[in-house]
């Protein structure tokens, strides 16, 4: 069973793969803090990161995500 950080990473990767029309997905780096409340995606601009976070909040139930 995956811990909350790994689950959030996988969900974020799924959103990126399925929803973002970018060509450099393989160069992205996803990091999650120890309590799985803060997500950082290196390689995306601020707006792209916020889109991913909003999808995770609305469709995956990560309500406290920053």
């Amino acid at each position: 069973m995956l811990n909350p950080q790994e689950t959030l990473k996988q969900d974020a990767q799924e959103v990126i793969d399925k929803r973002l029309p970018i060509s450099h997905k393989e160069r992205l780096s996803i990091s999650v803090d120890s309590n799985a409340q803060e997500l950082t995606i290196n390689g995306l601009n601020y707006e792209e990161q916020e889109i991913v976070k909003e999808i995770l909040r609305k469709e995956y139930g990560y309500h406290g995500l920053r």
Side-chain angles (χ1 to χ4, degrees):
M1 181 166 227
L2 297 175
N3 63 35
Q5 294 92 343
E6 289 301 316
T7 302
L8 178 54
K9 278 185 180 180
Q10 283 187 351
D11 289 344
Q13 186 65 53
E14 182 177 304
V15 168
I16 291 166
D17 290 342
K18 293 181 178 179
R19 298 289 200 58
L20 287 185
I22 57 174
S23 61
H24 61 280
K25 294 176 185 176
E26 68 280 347
R27 295 189 307 239
L28 299 179
S29 171
I30 300 171
S31 59
V32 179
D33 71 338
S34 61
N35 61 5
Q37 294 295 308
E38 191 163 333
L39 173 69
T40 304
I41 306 166
N42 294 321
L44 294 182
N45 65 34
Y46 176 79
E47 184 177 281
E48 292 167 330
Q49 284 191 57
E50 287 304 308
I51 290 168
V52 171
K53 290 176 186 179
E54 190 62 26
I55 292 169
L56 288 167
R57 287 182 200 109
K58 288 184 176 181
E59 296 181 18
Y60 290 74
Y62 291 100
H63 300 293
L65 186 61
R66 299 186 303 268

